[in-house]
Amino acid sequence: MAHIKAATAIIPRTAPMTIPAIAPPLKPLLFDASCEERVVSDAAAVVLAVEEGEAQANQVCSEIEQYSLEKHRQVNLPREKGSILPLSGLDSNRFQQLSRLNMQCYTELTPPTAVTHSVSLPFLSASANNLIVAKNSLVQIFSLKSVITEVDHDSRRSFPNGDNPHGQAAKGNNVDLLAHPDQKLQRGERLHTTKLVLVSQYELSGTITSLARVKTLRSKSGGEALLVALKDAKLSLVEWDPERYSISTSSLHYYEREDLQGSPWGPELGQSSSILTVDPSSRCAALKFGTRNIAILPFHQAGDDLVMDDYDPELDGDPPEPTTTPSKMTNGGSLATQTPYSASFVLSLLALDPSLTHPVHLTFLHEYREPTIGVLSSQVASSVGLLHERRDLLAYTVFTLDLEQRASTTLLSVNKLPFDLHTVMPLALPVGGALLIGTNQVIHVDQAGKTNGVAVNEFAKQCSSFTLIDQSELGLRLEGCVTEQIGAHNGDVLIVSNTGELALLNFKIDGRSVSGLSMRRIYLQSGESVVLAGPSCISTIGRGRMFIGSENSDSIVLGWSRKSHKAKRQRSNATTEIDGEESVSDEEVDGLEDDDDDLYSGAKVIDEAAQRQPSSLSTSTTSDDYLFRVHDVLMSLAPLRDITFGRSISAVAEDTQSSRRNEPELELLVTSGCGKAGALSILNREINPALKRNYDISCAQGIWSVCVKAQSAEGVLAGSDNLAAHQEHDKFMIISKLNDAGDEQSIAYSLTSGALEEVKESDFDPSAGATVDVGTLNGGTRIVQVLKNEIRAYDANFGLAQIFPLSDDDSEIGPKVVSASFSEPYILLIKDDSSLMLIKGDDSGDLEEVERQESLLTTKCISGSLYEDSNDVFRLESNEELDDEGGNVLMFLLTLEAGLRIFRLSDLATPIYTADGLGFLPPFLSTEFTVRRSAAKEILTEILVTELGDATTKSPYLILRSINDDLTIYQAYQSPVEGTPDTALRFLKLSNPYLPKMTGEDPPDNNQKRGQPLRALADINGFSAVFVPGASPCFVIKPASCLPQVVSLRSKGVKALSSLHRPDLEHGFTYVDNQGNLHGAQLPSHLDYSTGWVMRRIYSGEEIQALDYHARSNRYILGTSHKVDFKLPEDELHYDWSTENTSFLPQVERGCIKLLEPTTWTIVDAFELEPAEVVTSIKTMNLEVSEHTHVRRSLIAVGTALLRGEDLAAHGRIYIFDIIEVVPEPDRPETGRKFKLIAKEEVRGAVTALCEIGTEGFLLAAQGQKCMVRGLKEDGTLLPVAFMDMQCYVSVAKELEGTGLCIMGDAIKGLWFTGYSEDPYQLRLFSKTSQHIEVMAAEFLPHDKQLYILVADADSHIHVLQFDPEHPKSLTGQRLLHLSTFHTGTFPSRLTLLRRHPTPYELLSSPPPTNPNPAHDPSSSSTIQQPQTQPQQQQQQQQQQQDQPPSPPTHHLLLTSPTGSLSLLTPLSPPTYRTLSALQSYLTSTLPHHLGLNPRSHRNVEADLSVGGRGIVDGGILKRWMELGSWKRGEGVGRVVGEGEGGEGEGEWVVRGLLEGVGVGGRGGGLGFV
């Protein structure tokens, strides 16, 4: 076997990487660019090495020579081992181009946030209440927690136009950020509020199309299973595995075989919608896919031929044994009787009924003894244009399925239904039957086929002859609505329209028959909105609670109740826990009234109190009214339309240099939300703290704030009330600093209003030495200062109470204390000789040493942590009863061998938990974990067990810190022990892709202790967090709706940090920077960390279509729109339009151009557009304003489209604005800027794209079917100078800045590559795509003297194109080369070319600059240079280029998507590509993939490529690198880089550096300016 070795300069390693070649027959090596394992050279030469069999090497060389002869060039290649093959005769330029084909990496920087599907089920256990949410390719599992919140009636959030989110009123003109519902609540009504707490989340290699719950016979957790439908007809059955505290895939079913695709001229599988429905009794599931195929997946149930709800043991006898199905081969595997399902089968809908040629919707129905499905269909396709011929053509048919015989029986059929029905909703008792929902009406069909309908607008009668109750005065539009039953006793149905309007459908029931329907709108008492935009899904999550998900706004938990004059019962607990899972039980409220879910703190509730709820709404004034209230909000960035970068504005009022030196250079602003949920979101990679104060302290090394309480004479703590203790402010601060002699000393300061005053008259001794740690004991009345050799205890006034020496003699030679951990009443001390000491305080506050047992005396530990397990989360059994004094305090020790020991302080005889494999960082840590002895361990330096969370929930986590500042976070859980009811403690490793900064400094030795350990912060702006000091400072923050996030603090380095709670700095912190200066700061309010980035939200109340930044005025320009009624315009060709008589007018968008001031985030000016005129593009351009003086000025160009209906052609306008200075309004200095209209040009066709072009200050406008270059004249007109005819609809028009090279994308035909010249003015077509591509977005990507064009289409593919007229398949440049295609899962809405900042690793690994002319190098030892011939000079230059490592990329692309995710596309050098590609292959084969999905098949696209290209590296796989254990990472480094298994070696740093460069690790790869 021949092997090829490539010497790679950018990747230092001890041995070259060996890549196996392809087995014969071999293809030409140098030109086989489609195979990534064969093309390994990155220069004009290849190092050939033959390890086994020289014959194959000869064959490779022969093929290269034969290929050269075909190109009319002759070359003879050497066959010796290790020979360098010169390629001068082989056209080295062509080889270099082929060796650089399509090398990019696609990385999602933030996860998707748009909720597409949801389902509620008992998933974690049989008694749990869980909500599972799908966000495109992300699955999140939530539990429900009920907490008591206090609602303040007077607190309001204000927005500029009064259309504020989630029922909040407007006040003033300022824009405030969205706050969580439970933040900073004042005294008011106390209500039970349901909150969502994230349990786990999983990123999938597929796009989710539906979710459903299935109750199986057996499951690992005892709960129900989840059935997930994915794109391309895949079904995956998932259940919860309590042993691994993760999901477990039971089966994967796929139905994408070619024989199921239907006719060859029919639509492809991906272009057809799929529908998943499950029988209410979980007897089977049905998946409609393709045009008219349906897959049936039966499930085993207890008595498959009986409906257990109707089973009566007295009448029917004993239940039969469950029926089994023989094992059959289906979907590529065998099914045994142990599986929860039987063999699935596929039927054509035409086999059920030949009339089902055009299915619309289908679902299983309730209350049938056999699986029964209702299908809404038609025999011919419906059409609005043929309404006079195809008026009532839909039919609703009910079939009963025989799963054994695979047959069906028709039960009933209702014909001549309105053509616009789109959804079948099954109804449970007491209503039953099905609800058919259409655009203009709602129809109920009972089990006997009896129908009742109601018309919700006046078009229902015009479009249908079906008998309907006229309620056209409602004026509802029901397309895209969602529905859910909320009335358990009367079957009321809540309808949420696609604009967020609420309506309630009531049934008139006579016995078991429905006699009529009535519908009414739900109006809010304050005229506000609860649902701001169209919903995507709705799920009932308990009695009186529902979840409304949305792709266009935030998703909410909505609670409802019924007004009642009865006194409500009082609950004693605010939180209900069932089997350890916090949830809201349905059985808990069965005996209560319908409004008992909203309880107040008192025993009696009156209607007036309910009416004062700020976010409540009602349907009428009767006693049966529903009251609605928003309980929780899931933040969403979706959909992202436009982005821009602007200069950051400091959040601090003081404009000082010290408060601004750590600010980011730019801020990333994105538009998000639709309709009233429209908003601007400001994104930063790091937390920019709000600096409140700079203290006059220098040379500080450590800092501790102290909250101490005085002790009364009776010995009772003053202010021992919990609320009073919570509001206690810090009184003192102890600072460890360097004196003039360079020694470290500690000084105590008293905290006064805005200053620090040194404590003079006290027993505190600054000369005692450096402070290790400071804490309080004895209920907060004793201040304990831990020094290296002793412990000092002080009272509340720093009066010395006790000095506790830590050694027997007074010498300072003994071991020193390096770290301490406090937990009332204990202190754990770790010394530099790896020994430990445990100190305990008695009732009087005196300290004494706890006697250590033999097990502690022999234990050598590096670090330790104390944690009081008050909630018994760890559930560790002890041999003796818990000591009342000590409580349930646990001691976690990190041993010298990187093992874990847990002791209960009430019994130190033996450890109650031992895990020797902690140093391997396994995904699951248990006492039984073992690994081979030779595996590499991570060098761990610190352990911390503390609570993370917010006001909603807090949970303990085990955090490990390595020698490289890596953080590993473990979550404790109880795993069931097989065969016993007992549980065992295990730890689950959470995903944390964060990588610390690379400083270039050598990491400390294993025995060298850190100056500042991890700091647990109890309350930082409402969060219980952990801070990591050092060169890469960061916070570990855990909001309730996401996993723990590691977010960097924007600073060059932090030596120490401590929490600080003062009246002028509430719940803030103080920190020491790398210069030793002391600062007081806060986390900015209303920030969201759920995406891993820092996000602020600014609501506008209107949908934002376009956005740009004007640097000269430091203002943002917004293009917004709102809905208005559309009336037909006057037209002489359509005289009948003037006689239009309708009160139910359609809605169209009306645009507005607004000027946003970023210091106060207020709108200071607005330019209203005409009705039906919308903004399509806003660009800031440096345009020429005078054709005589050629003066240029930064102006704003706005393109609009005037949409006047489908019968009239669209027109457009181009506006040119300037921002001028004006006299501001009184007391409003921000209003000193206004718009000034410079030019307004009306054009034929909509203006869909704008960009600056050329070097003379002209603009390129895509107007209709033309792209035209225009210049601004002094008279305010736009003079066209060049144009090019396009075909259908221009979606993209961009120029590569300063080059004249342009791309023009057509939404149907593809992309054109053109050039613009200024002498003469003309646009010339260079090349275009060889196939039709639906261009949604496109952008240039220059890299390494090559120019690529990336195109995003409507199928969620990214196409990589290249213009190469020398390639034979380009037809002399007439066709763009199609290099590769990559599937993203969602089509990018915008591609933005950004200049890339080098990462720290690239700065450290880049070589120093070399002198290009050595003859004039003054440092050269010889001043006389020997003359060289030109070939020798060329050869020397080529050798120098080969010896230098490839330079890092200078540009990359930022992608935005409608799902709310930000992505990065980074070009790669050939060595980097090979390393990351090999790493991707290793991770793909090593890591588990959820739901049985294949990441390669998800990303790869079968496309007709014009030239072989390489696939794009998937960053989603690469960011799972830290999920591996240390031994697996070492093995991966050995395979990828060629180093041994030492994880601490240089190869590990190479991999980390390359991951950082492509955006993996939370650093934003090259986005250092954000």
Side-chain angles (χ1 to χ4, degrees), residues 288-544:
K288 180 264 175 185
F289 64 96
T291 306
R292 53 183 66 90
N293 293 324
I294 181 172
I296 306 297
L297 179 61
F299 295 102
H300 295 299
Q301 296 296 335
D304 286 337
D305 55 346
L306 292 177
V307 179
M308 299 309 296
D309 293 339
D310 299 336
Y311 171 73
D312 189 348
E314 296 182 359
L315 299 178
D316 299 335
D318 296 334
E321 294 295 329
T323 59
T324 58
T325 303
S327 301
K328 298 180 181 180
M329 293 298 295
T330 179
N331 290 330
S334 62
L335 295 177
T337 57
Q338 290 81 9
T339 61
Y341 54 87
S342 301
S344 63
F345 55 93
V346 177
L347 298 174
S348 174
L349 285 175
L350 299 179
L352 301 180
D353 194 321
S355 63
L356 304 180
T357 54
H358 293 83
V360 177
H361 196 256
L362 55 88
T363 186
F364 281 101
L365 304 178
H366 294 270
E367 306 305 322
Y368 284 92
R369 294 181 61 88
E370 297 292 338
T372 302
I373 191 169
V375 182
L376 183 65
S377 65
S378 64
Q379 294 188 4
V380 295
S382 60
S383 172
V384 178
L386 299 176
L387 187 59
H388 59 286
E389 296 181 1
R390 304 179 182 181
R391 191 175 181 87
D392 296 326
L393 49 81
L394 292 183
Y396 173 69
T397 311
V398 177
F399 302 93
T400 294
L401 301 180
D402 188 344
L403 302 180
E404 295 293 334
Q405 302 297 327
R406 300 185 179 183
S408 63
T409 303
T410 304
L411 296 183
L412 63 91
S413 180
V414 180
N415 300 318
K416 295 185 177 180
L417 294 173
F419 82 102
D420 58 350
L421 296 176
H422 53 76
T423 302
V424 181
M425 177 187 177
L427 297 177
L429 291 179
V431 180
L435 194 66
L436 309 182
I437 303 170
T439 302
N440 307 310
Q441 64 281 316
V442 175
I443 300 174
H444 176 261
V445 182
D446 64 7
Q447 294 181 347
K450 179 183 175 182
T451 60
N452 293 276
V454 56
V456 298
N457 57 54
E458 62 184 48
F459 285 107
K461 292 185 177 180
Q462 301 179 21
C463 299
S464 176
S465 301
F466 194 83
T467 303
L468 300 170
I469 300 175
D470 187 10
Q471 285 192 271
S472 58
E473 68 277 2
L474 292 173
L476 291 173
R477 297 174 172 87
L478 300 184
E479 60 270 15
C481 69
V482 296
T483 57
E484 187 70 16
Q485 275 188 290
I486 63 173
H489 63 286
N490 55 11
D492 291 346
V493 174
L494 179 68
I495 300 177
V496 186
S497 69
N498 62 353
T499 58
E501 299 172 299
L502 302 182
L504 193 66
L505 179 65
N506 302 112
F507 298 90
K508 298 179 181 179
I509 302 176
D510 295 336
R512 296 197 64 177
S513 175
V514 177
S515 59
L517 306 178
S518 65
M519 187 179 294
R520 50 182 173 169
R521 279 176 174 264
I522 298 178
Y523 293 100
L524 294 121
Q525 295 175 348
S526 56
E528 301 155 354
S529 299
V530 170
V531 183
L532 301 179
S536 59
C537 58
I538 187 170
S539 300
T540 300
I541 56 177
R543 191 163 184 175

Side-chain angles (χ1 to χ4, degrees), residues 157-172 174-176 178 526-532 674-679 1098-1103 1121-1123 1154:
R157 283 166 275 172
S158 56
F159 296 87
N161 56 358
D163 292 331
N164 16 344
H166 311 302
Q168 301 299 325
K171 177 180 66 176
N174 294 332
V175 183
D176 293 338
L178 177 64
S526 56
E528 301 155 354
S529 299
V530 170
V531 183
L532 301 179
C674 292
K676 295 181 181 180
I1098 302 171
Y1099 282 94
S1100 67
E1102 293 182 346
E1103 187 171 325
S1121 65
H1122 58 277
K1123 294 285 187 179
K1154 297 183 178 181

